Amino acid sequence: MAKQRIIAITGASGGLAQEIVKQLSPSDGIILLGRDKAKLEKCYRHVENKTCLAIDLRDDKVIKEMVDYLYQRFGRIDVFINNAGYGEFKSYDNYTSQEVRDMFDINTFATLTFSRLMAEKMVKQGNGHIVNIASMAGKIATANSSVYAATKFAVIGFSDALRLELADKGVYVTTVNPGPIETSFFNQADPSGAYLESVKKFVLSPKYVAKKIVRILGKNKREVNLPRLLSAVSYTHLTLPTILRV
């Protein structure tokens, strides 16, 4: 009988996280991290083997305390999914400095802090898998996504380096780079609907993205790029940047 996996996920009240949890094994022990514990309890009221915990991802001290608490309570974490994030799509001159810092706090610094601390613990336990949900926006930026794209470029670069540093320690690091996902993310990111309309041919269902993520948990996979068409565009942009002007 296989041992129970302990899987933690941030941004757990979001649509993608909910689809991931639906597709996990009923035997998995699932740790759900989000801003509002009551909301998490309501979202996952039918899920067994769950633990819902509130956390402020803007505070590095709180993140460290959470990592220590999780290891004290559960003894190990097999998979940690950094899923928390948000976006605001508007022109570069419509951001305040505080808005830029706020987006980096959640999208980038929280992911980096959790990844570093979890990596230390997983190296000691001899195995583990860190999955960082980035974005295709972190591979190929588009107009009106300057700050969001920057936060995701940083996550991808960090994750690539961390993966190399942990390659001989039994700990895997995977970056998931989806195109736009049909969730409530765009309620805040794009209230006018203009950005979503411009990329509608690339929009993915959260169920499809979750399926791809669940399939690679515990496997030594460098990255998952979705959809294939956008992945091909990204590759062409990287190798032949003068051909694509996006």
Side-chain angles (χ1 to χ4, degrees):
M1 181 178 178
K3 73 174 184 179
Q4 181 191 48
R5 297 185 302 178
I6 305 298
I7 300 173
I9 182 169
T10 67
S13 61
L16 177 58
Q18 292 182 48
E19 286 297 333
I20 290 172
V21 171
K22 286 179 184 178
Q23 297 183 39
L24 293 175
S25 169
S27 65
D28 290 328
I30 304 171
I31 302 165
L32 303 157
L33 304 173
R35 287 177 298 177
D36 188 334
K37 182 178 179 180
K39 183 177 181 180
L40 292 174
E41 294 283 3
K42 182 178 180 180
C43 285
Y44 297 100
R45 59 189 177 278
H46 302 305
V47 177
E48 298 182 8
N49 299 323
K50 72 176 183 293
T51 302
C52 298
L53 298 168
I55 185 170
D56 181 357
L57 293 176
R58 298 167 297 179
D59 190 328
D60 286 351
K61 182 181 178 182
V62 169
I63 292 175
K64 185 178 188 310
E65 290 172 350
M66 178 61 74
V67 171
D68 290 340
Y69 171 75
L70 293 179
Y71 269 82
Q72 180 182 21
R73 178 168 175 178
F74 297 97
R76 74 177 195 280
I77 303 294
D78 298 297
V79 178
F80 194 93
I81 305 174
N82 279 300
N83 173 66
Y86 73 98
E88 288 183 273
F89 296 106
K90 53 189 180 182
S91 64
Y92 73 95
D93 52 347
N94 280 327
Y95 291 99
T96 65
S97 293
Q98 190 59 53
E99 286 175 330
V100 174
R101 289 187 175 91
D102 288 345
M103 204 183 305
F104 266 90
D105 275 344
I106 301 301
N107 292 7
T108 308
F109 297 135
T111 292
L112 270 58
T113 301
F114 256 128
S115 295
R116 290 188 299 103
L117 298 175
M118 290 303 308
E120 291 179 11
K121 298 287 189 181
M122 289 178 172
V123 167
K124 291 179 181 178
Q125 75 187 30
N127 58 75
H129 192 180
I130 297 168
V131 179
N132 291 334
I133 310 298
S135 171
M136 272 295 175
K139 284 180 166 284
I140 180 167
T142 56
N144 296 318
S145 71
S146 58
V147 177
Y148 180 74
T151 68
K152 296 302 185 177
F153 266 88
V155 168
I156 292 172
F158 169 83
S159 301
D160 282 345
L162 184 64
R163 174 179 51 81
L164 295 173
E165 293 182 40
L166 299 177
D168 62 348
K169 302 182 187 303
V171 180
Y172 305 146
V173 179
T174 301
T175 309
V176 179
N177 304 309
I181 306 173
E182 193 174 5
T183 67
S184 58
F185 171 90
F186 283 100
N187 294 346
Q188 176 180 355
D190 179 41
S192 72
Y195 183 87
L196 190 59
E197 176 65 22
S198 70
V199 295
K200 63 181 179 180
K201 64 182 177 181
F202 299 120
V203 174
L204 302 161
S205 76
K207 182 177 180 179
Y208 171 77
V209 178
K211 181 180 178 180
K212 296 293 185 180
I213 293 171
V214 171
R215 184 177 293 174
I216 57 90
L217 297 183
K219 298 179 181 178
N220 191 9
K221 181 80 171 175
R222 173 180 175 172
E223 60 185 15
V224 176
N225 299 310
L226 303 168
R228 288 182 179 179
L229 177 58
L230 201 52
S231 179
V233 171
S234 167
Y235 179 78
T236 303
H237 179 70
L238 179 66
T239 55
L240 300 168
T242 59
I243 291 179
L244 294 176
R245 297 187 181 278
V246 295

